[in-house]
Amino acid sequence: MSKPDFKTLGFSFFSSNFETCGGVSSPSRPSPSKLSSTVTVLRALDSDQPTLISPDMSSPSSHANNNDLLSEEVKVQTSVGKKRTETQRSSSDHQLKPRKKLSQSSDIRQYFVPKDDDKESTNRTRNDIGRCELFKAYQESSEDKALTSGNPTSLKCDQDEFIRTVSEMIVLSGLPFSFVESEGFRRFCHNVIPMYEDVSRQTVAKDIAVMYLQEKSFLKVMFSVNKMRVSLTTDIWEAPTTSSSYMVVTAYWIDANWELQKRIISFKPVLDKKGETIARRLIECLDEWGIEKVFTVTVNNAEGNDDEALTLFQDAMRLKGANALVKDGDFLRMRCCGHIVNLLVKDSMEHVSDSIVAVRNAVKYVQSSLSRIKSFEFRIETGKVPKGNLSLDSVTEWNSTYLMLVAALKLRVAFDKMLGEDKLYGKYFLEIEEETGEKRVGPPVSATWDEVERLVTFLGIFFNCTVESSERKAAASSKGYSEIATIDWNLIKLSNNVDEEVRKEATSIKDKFEKYWDGLININPLVIVASVFDPRKKMKFTSLCFDRLHGKDSLESKNLTLSITSVMRHLYEEYTIMLDKQSQSDDAAIQSDHRGSEQSGECDGYISSDYLYKEMINEMRKEQAGKELDDYLMEKAEPWCSGSDYDVLSWWKRNSPNYPILSELARDVLAIQMSSFAHESAFCTSGRVLDPYKSSLTPYTTEALICTQQWLRTSLQSEPPLANLEQMFEELDFQESLDPRKQPSWLLRSSCN
């Protein structure tokens, strides 16, 4: 027979009897007779030797309770004493007092894992934790929590930090200052932060002005210390509510860590758009920021005075020194590729504007009521057309028009069935529009759909190139020539199409495209040089592009190849001279310091050889300098990884020690911008428009908001790329799924329940 476990069975038996007897903690205790009997039972359970126990004791069920068991005269062999009768019991064996209610467990217990048999006191633990510095720090930090177990507690709220956070939200989201005084915002703050103090619009405006001045001061110091060469972009914003115009100037450069930096450095009103005004604003901007070296200026092609403005700007920059411009400004002007694309799209859409309006009206009819939606869905089912969603476009964003036309073309059969079967659909296009006073354009017929289909073919070329350029903002210039060549290749292909209308349209667009670039042969060579600095392409890819555009081994292709090679060598030679002069200037400063140290240490008779060592390094660098360009062009190109976003700047960061001079040229070339506006405005056909809220502010406050917003977004890296067509359709499907009119009936019933 196995030995019973005293710790479980025996202690449980003891506990049950002690509690049944109403035992309490010391000083009260059970009578000796009860204690004697209980101890005997425990020993019996814990011993291998048989113990004489009364049959009545061995069967607890034969007694009403343990008091009856202990009250009997039981003959038991025990070391405590002889048996005692009921009359021999001591006076201490009276009715026990009820047990005191245990005090509530200490708060310290919540920091430990509880155990069933843990009866020890927590006094010592409490004292130890009371002296613990880490626990004191934890208690202090816990006071900062707003809610504990659903109950509000004391909260330490830094009002200045709260105001700064609200100011950043106002700037990043483009909200008006009055937003902080709105009922919705104040209700939100009072619910989340019970001790919230109301903030006024004046407080937020002051804080934003402070943010602007602090960041501007930091940038000025950076420009004055680093003295980097920048590439600029200029654009004109319109404020329709005040009939004012603003000129924005943005600086781009690649920092020491080989990361592309972008900062808006000016957003000031201009009275006119004359070349003299634009040039003066540019010079004033550079003087204000202490910028002394400029590589290129990307300008909008809409204004015919760009040439005059850049000529005046070039003359003014020459006065700043020989290094202010590269090659005396021969490559200063860069045309805005994004604006050229928008001009071509706008021209193409104007030719078929009636067809676009007809499709827009058809989509508007379908989406105007639930009955029309059901009628259209019925035609989709009977026409055996895959289901799709329709969306109305924004007349100023041509990518939304492209999305609408692509979606409508997929449902062309359903629209044709609506025209033949739905009388209300036909009557809709006989109505007179209030805006124009003329009959509504439409409905779309076969010729309309053919025109739209041809337009979508051209829009797809421009759309894809625009989206691809926004996906690689780190070195957009390295992709510039590839995009230009891609557009030209597709236009050449379409100009040989069997469809005569397609051929005519493609030829017309191609001629305009080359005209905007002053002819692809006369394009700014830096556009092509930037492509050569992509280590996956180098000169071989450029030569293949020339062969593809102008014919293999053609005279134009050979001349372009020789011209680009010559430009790169001239640029490399100029950078070699500039860096050599800079090195000599640094060496002269070091030599001056060295002479001073020699004079001060003349008494010691010690002459250092560090200067000779530096001279040796400079001579070796000059000997190696002439080989950098040839080595780079002759080395094998990097492998092309399809579908991956290759980082050109990371490659130059890793290999800049191998090309100390060429890497400095690449740093400036890869910072060139192919477009003068931000990528979020790439599809805008109406130019940049200032919203009515900012138009009502003072020019200084408007500049502070625009600049601070861009600076914050750059620091947060919150400029996502443009959505491609697939992503746009996914967003459209999601928006349509929120419409309860288009939900299945069983889903609506379940949501109501």
Side-chain angles (χ1 to χ4, degrees), residues 583-603:
S583 177
Q584 291 178 2
S585 177
D586 296 339
D587 291 343
I590 295 174
Q591 186 176 7
S592 176
D593 295 340
H594 176 69
R595 288 174 179 172
S597 63
E598 279 186 348
Q599 293 175 1
S600 62
E602 218 172 37
C603 58

Side-chain angles (χ1 to χ4, degrees), residues 254-255 257-260 468-469 471-483 527-538 541 632 637-641 644-657 659 662-672:
I254 296 175
D255 61 16
N257 199 36
W258 283 91
E259 293 182 358
L260 180 65
E468 288 180 4
S469 65
E471 291 178 350
R472 298 168 177 85
K473 297 299 291 182
S477 60
S478 65
K479 292 283 296 178
Y481 188 68
S482 299
E483 297 166 11
V527 176
I528 306 174
V529 171
S531 177
V532 177
F533 279 120
D534 187 337
R536 300 170 301 170
K537 303 173 182 177
K538 300 189 176 181
F541 177 83
Y632 172 76
E638 292 291 309
W640 188 278
C641 299
S644 62
D645 192 0
Y646 185 79
D647 192 348
V648 175
L649 298 184
S650 293
W651 187 92
W652 280 102
K653 180 180 179 180
R654 296 191 304 268
N655 294 273
S656 57
Y659 308 102
L662 192 64
S663 62
E664 292 302 317
L665 174 60
R667 187 193 302 274
D668 292 338
V669 170
L670 294 176
I672 297 173

Side-chain angles (χ1 to χ4, degrees), residues 485-520:
T486 299
I487 293 174
D488 206 40
W489 292 340
N490 284 276
L491 292 177
I492 291 174
K493 180 180 178 181
L494 291 175
S495 62
N496 297 321
N497 195 282
V498 294
D499 189 336
E500 183 179 357
E501 294 296 330
V502 174
R503 289 200 308 270
K504 290 171 58 178
E505 185 67 19
T507 302
S508 175
I509 295 176
K510 181 177 178 298
D511 293 341
K512 294 178 182 178
F513 183 68
E514 294 183 355
K515 177 183 177 182
Y516 288 140
W517 286 108
D518 287 336
L520 292 183

Side-chain angles (χ1 to χ4, degrees), residues 157 244 351 517:
C157 180
S244 301
H351 291 162
W517 286 108

Side-chain angles (χ1 to χ4, degrees), residues 24-237:
V24 295
S25 59
S26 180
S28 300
R29 58 185 179 183
S31 64
S33 61
K34 294 180 181 180
L35 181 61
S36 173
S37 300
T38 305
V39 171
T40 302
V41 174
L42 296 178
R43 288 180 175 177
L45 294 172
D46 193 49
S47 175
D48 292 335
Q49 301 297 328
T51 304
L52 180 58
I53 304 177
S54 171
D56 294 334
M57 287 185 65
S58 64
S59 180
S61 61
S62 63
H63 302 276
N65 51 46
N66 291 332
N67 292 331
D68 297 334
L69 176 64
L70 295 175
S71 65
E72 294 181 1
E73 295 185 19
V74 183
K75 296 180 180 181
V76 184
Q77 184 68 30
T78 175
S79 62
V80 175
K82 297 180 180 180
K83 69 173 183 176
R84 289 192 277 176
T85 62
E86 186 174 357
T87 58
Q88 293 176 326
R89 294 178 181 174
S90 66
S91 59
S92 62
D93 299 333
H94 296 297
Q95 184 69 26
L96 299 176
K97 296 180 180 180
R99 197 173 188 179
K100 292 182 180 179
K101 186 178 180 181
L102 297 177
S103 61
Q104 189 176 0
S105 299
S106 171
D107 294 338
I108 305 299
R109 286 286 183 180
Q110 62 181 310
Y111 304 107
F112 298 90
V113 179
K115 295 183 179 179
D116 295 337
D117 58 347
D118 187 5
K119 301 287 186 179
E120 297 180 1
S121 172
T122 60
N123 289 334
R124 180 177 299 174
T125 305
R126 185 186 296 108
N127 294 333
D128 291 341
I129 290 185
R131 293 189 297 267
C132 179
E133 296 297 332
L134 293 177
F135 180 71
K136 291 179 180 179
Y138 170 78
Q139 286 182 317
E140 293 176 358
S141 64
S142 63
E143 293 178 357
D144 293 338
K145 297 181 180 178
L147 297 176
T148 301
S149 302
N151 299 322
T153 62
S154 61
L155 177 66
K156 294 180 180 179
C157 180
D158 189 337
Q159 186 70 5
D160 293 337
E161 185 65 24
F162 177 78
I163 294 175
R164 176 55 55 93
T165 304
V166 172
S167 301
E168 290 179 352
M169 179 188 67
I170 295 294
V171 171
L172 288 171
S173 302
L175 299 172
F177 295 149
S178 59
F179 176 78
V180 297
E181 297 178 351
S182 64
E183 184 64 27
F185 177 75
R186 289 185 172 178
R187 180 176 176 83
F188 168 79
C189 292
H190 282 295
N191 289 336
V192 176
I193 311 174
M195 60 290 305
Y196 163 74
E197 297 180 6
D198 290 342
V199 179
S200 67
R201 67 178 74 187
Q202 290 85 0
T203 302
V204 172
K206 291 179 182 178
D207 190 66
I208 292 175
V210 171
M211 291 170 55
Y212 168 68
L213 292 176
Q214 289 175 346
E215 185 65 20
K216 185 175 182 179
S217 176
F218 169 78
L219 289 175
K220 281 187 175 182
V221 172
M222 182 190 62
F223 281 126
S224 63
V225 172
N226 296 332
K227 299 186 181 301
M228 73 282 287
R229 187 180 299 277
V230 301
S231 288
L232 303 176
T233 65
T234 66
D235 198 11
I236 301 295
W237 289 39

